[in-house]
């Protein structure tokens, strides 16, 4: 049988082609969700899928589904995909790899003339990063029924532009319903975005779980006043309070080591003038842990700590949790397919828990789902220097091809008795 492998050069050159859209001087990309650059990336993906003979549909959250027909198109498809939106200082592989690996599977099935029982779908999920619009993975969250469509479309960026307005502006406010249709299985291929696989010399990460997350927004309010005449004891300095909260967040992460992590990623100080005592500060908190109970303890420690710090600095505070999902355990049969594919292809592999969130985390709520990780250089991601070796990129694509083919040829039990029934 012709070797069941993707065309590694074609996948790599497609990645490099897509990386030209929003390319940044340090070799990364800035393709924020629903910007004109995101549109350009989406348009290129749609063009490539159309050229590969797919029918392309877009749902009301802008999620794109490129479908390659199977022998029986009444059967639920096997899906794969990830995201094209990036961080402001993003890399060429985060998300894009999973999108284009899915396209490469379709292109390879075409090359090999393979007809699958079920349709195969390559997908793009809107605003996975949660950078321009918070929270992350909001469109796959709507698809999985975690968020309402209204909630998703009303997410606004710092300029007050909503996802609904921006989807319409770039021409990706689709007409398809978001979710609510059967999917037989879903796989997402992604770089690890951490150091483990490379450090251990492993080619494939068999992703068994993903850690849970909690995102918060905090506003500390004190009083602007003159940096000169205002005596220290009477100041209500919001940025001083923020500095102590940043220290608290770090201490909470360390206190639940080695599994937990904590980050303050965004801070805005108002009025941000060098000789005015800051009267208001906005900051974000990102907690993650592969143990739900630990995450709850971290939540409690944050609330108690912020109240203590605000009182001591004579500040008001408004602490809101804006995003939360529990640890995800991926489908064991799909995970086993990833493991067996790596084995059959002779790749080194190890089980791994995803430190990052992915659309697969939400897809796992509606269909058997698994992820395939490959290393990235130095474990660096969400950084313009993000990089990966072509052989790693190829390996993940080959494991994906096998897993998807196996799932796409799984027939419903009833079919095995040669009865033909229309199956959604
Ligand atoms: O935050 C994350 O884990 C992902 O990059 N959205
Ligand atoms: Mn990603
Ligand atoms: Mn990311």
């Amino acid at each position: 049988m012709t070797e069941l492998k993707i065309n590694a050069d074609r996948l790599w050159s497609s990645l490099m082609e897509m990386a030209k859209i929003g390319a940044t001087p340090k070799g990364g990309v800035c393709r924020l969700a629903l910007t004109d650059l995101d549109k350009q990336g989406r348009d290129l993906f749609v063009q490539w899928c159309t050229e590969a003979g797919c029918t392309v549909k877009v749902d009301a959250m802008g999620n794109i589904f490129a479908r390659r027909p199977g022998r029986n198109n009444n059967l639920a498809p096997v899906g794969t995909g990830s995201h094209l939106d990036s961080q402001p200082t993003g890399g060429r592989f985060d998300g894009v790899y999973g999108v284009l690996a899915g396209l490469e599977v379709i292109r390879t099935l075409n090359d090999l003339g393979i007809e699958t029982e079920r349709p195969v779908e390559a997908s793009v999920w809107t605003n996975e990063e949660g950078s321009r619009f918070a929270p992350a993975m909001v469109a796959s969250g709507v698809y999985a029924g975690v968020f309402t469509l209204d909630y998703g479309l009303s997410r606004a960026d710092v300029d007050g532009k909503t996802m609904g307005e921006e989807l319409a502006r770039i021409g990706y406010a689709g007409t398809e319903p978001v979710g609510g249709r059967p999917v037989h299985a879903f796989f997402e291929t992604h770089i690890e975005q951490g150091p483990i696989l490379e450090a251990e010399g492993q080619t494939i990460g068999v992703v068994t779980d993903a850690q849970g997350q909690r995102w918060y927004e905090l506003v500390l309010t004190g009083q602007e006043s003159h940096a000169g005449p205002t005596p220290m004891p009477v100041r209500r300095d919001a940025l001083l309070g923020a500095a102590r909260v940043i220290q608290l967040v770090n201490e909470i992460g360390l206190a639940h080591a080695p599994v937990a992590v904590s980050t303050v990623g965004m801070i805005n100080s108002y009025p941000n003038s060098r000789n005015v005592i800051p009267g208001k500060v906005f900051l974000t908190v990102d907690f993650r842990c592969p143990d739900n109970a630990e995450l709850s303890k971290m939540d409690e420690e944050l609330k108690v700590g912020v109240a203590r710090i605000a009182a001591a600095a004579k500040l008001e505070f408004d602490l809101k949790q804006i995003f939360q999902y529990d640890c995800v355990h991926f489908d064991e049969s799909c995970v086993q397919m990833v493991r067996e594919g790596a084995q059959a292809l002779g790749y080194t592999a190890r089980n791994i828990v995803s430190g990052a969130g992915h659309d697969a985390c939400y897809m796992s709520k509606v269909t058997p789902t698994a992820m395939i990780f490959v290393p990235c250089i130095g474990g660096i991601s969400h950084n313009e220097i993000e990089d990966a070796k072509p052989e790693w990129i190829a390996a993940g694509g080959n494991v994906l091809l096998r897993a998807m083919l196996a799932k796409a040829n799984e027939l419903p039990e009833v079919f095995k008795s040669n009865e033909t029934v229309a199956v959604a």
Side-chain angles (χ1 to χ4, degrees):
M1 176 171 137
T2 318
E3 211 184 17
L4 194 59
K5 290 260 179 91
I6 61 157
N7 181 326
D9 292 344
R10 179 173 56 196
L11 173 53
W12 185 265
S13 55
S14 297
L15 278 162
M16 295 307 113
E17 190 63 29
M18 185 63 81
K20 290 176 187 166
I21 301 175
T24 57
K26 291 185 199 163
V29 294
C30 176
R31 226 180 13 242
L32 293 182
L34 304 184
T35 56
D36 291 344
L37 288 171
D38 187 17
K39 172 182 172 48
Q40 280 178 43
R42 287 162 167 264
D43 291 349
L44 182 58
F45 173 73
V46 169
Q47 176 200 320
W48 281 342
C49 291
T50 308
E51 289 164 357
C54 295
T55 51
V56 179
K57 290 190 177 173
V58 180
D59 73 16
M61 279 304 298
N63 300 314
I64 304 169
F65 303 94
R67 172 176 283 214
R68 178 181 192 265
R71 191 168 298 125
N72 185 332
N73 293 302
N74 291 324
L75 294 177
V78 174
T80 185
S82 192
H83 58 96
L84 288 176
D85 68 301
S86 80
Q87 288 289 337
T89 53
R92 297 173 296 166
F93 300 93
D94 177 2
V96 193
Y97 173 41
V99 170
L100 297 183
L103 170 60
E104 179 50 38
V105 165
I106 287 174
R107 285 169 162 170
T108 300
L109 293 173
N110 290 345
D111 292 347
L112 300 178
I114 293 176
E115 185 184 38
T116 54
E117 289 294 342
R118 296 173 175 277
V120 164
E121 276 186 357
S123 51
V124 172
W125 298 92
T126 303
N127 189 58
E128 187 280 340
E129 289 293 2
S131 177
R132 181 181 177 195
F133 303 96
M137 299 123 65
V138 67
S140 50
V142 174
Y143 188 94
V146 172
F147 306 120
T148 65
L149 178 59
D150 284 351
Y151 172 86
L153 293 175
S154 62
R155 296 309 85 207
D157 68 6
V158 288
D159 300 321
K161 288 186 187 144
T162 67
M163 287 188 71
E165 290 160 352
E166 289 294 277
L167 279 167
R169 186 182 66 80
I170 67 167
Y172 276 91
T175 52
E176 292 295 307
V178 186
R181 64 187 176 100
V183 177
H184 183 61
F186 184 84
F187 294 93
E188 181 169 359
T189 315
H190 210 287
I191 52 170
E192 177 200 341
Q193 299 180 293
I196 297 170
L197 295 176
E198 185 191 40
E200 293 184 3
Q202 306 279 4
T203 304
I204 297 294
V206 181
V207 187
T208 56
D209 302 84
Q211 62 180 345
Q213 297 194 28
R214 287 177 185 244
W215 284 13
Y216 304 83
E217 289 180 351
L218 170 65
V219 177
L220 290 166
T221 307
Q223 186 177 51
E224 285 102 77
S225 53
H226 200 302
T230 311
M232 295 302 278
V234 301
R235 293 179 176 210
R236 295 176 56 221
D237 183 338
L239 195 52
L240 176 65
R244 292 172 178 163
V245 167
I246 293 167
Q247 179 68 30
L248 168 72
V249 167
N250 182 262
E251 285 163 358
I252 292 173
L254 292 172
H256 294 267
V259 286
V261 289
S262 60
T263 313
V264 173
M266 268 178 87
I267 184 163
N268 294 322
S269 175
Y270 176 82
N272 210 28
S273 168
R274 68 190 72 237
N275 49 0
V276 176
I277 298 166
K280 184 182 273 190
V281 168
F282 166 90
L283 62 80
T284 62
V285 177
D286 176 325
F287 280 166
R288 310 207 187 181
C289 185
D291 179 323
N292 291 323
E294 289 296 291
L295 261 181
S296 301
K297 287 181 199 157
M298 294 167 74
D299 175 73
E300 192 49 33
E301 289 159 21
L302 178 70
K303 287 172 182 160
V304 168
V306 165
R308 173 176 46 77
I309 288 166
K314 301 188 291 291
L315 304 174
E316 280 98 55
F317 72 94
D318 177 14
L319 176 62
K320 275 203 296 283
Q321 180 179 286
I322 66 153
F323 179 47
Q324 188 255 334
Y325 67 85
D326 286 347
C327 302
V328 174
H329 183 65
F330 288 113
D331 174 79
E332 304 216 342
S333 81
C334 288
V335 171
Q336 184 57 17
M337 282 190 171
V338 171
R339 192 174 289 118
E340 287 169 1
Q343 221 158 17
L345 287 156
Y347 297 135
T348 54
R350 62 103 88 195
N351 290 350
I352 195 165
V353 175
S354 176
H358 302 283
D359 294 304
C361 295
Y362 278 143
M363 285 306 285
S364 69
K365 290 181 175 299
V366 292
T367 186
T369 298
M371 291 193 74
I372 302 158
F373 272 3
V374 298
C376 54
I377 306 283
I380 300 289
S381 182
H382 284 192
N383 183 315
E384 292 162 275
I385 65 165
E386 179 187 278
D387 202 356
K389 290 181 182 168
E391 57 267 31
W392 294 339
I393 294 297
N398 287 325
V399 173
L400 177 67
L401 173 63
R402 279 172 179 265
M404 290 197 65
L405 201 46
K407 274 292 178 188
N409 286 328
E410 271 184 351
L411 282 175
E413 282 313 309
V414 67
F415 270 48
K416 291 175 183 158
S417 58
N418 294 327
E419 276 177 55
T420 50
V421 285
V423 180

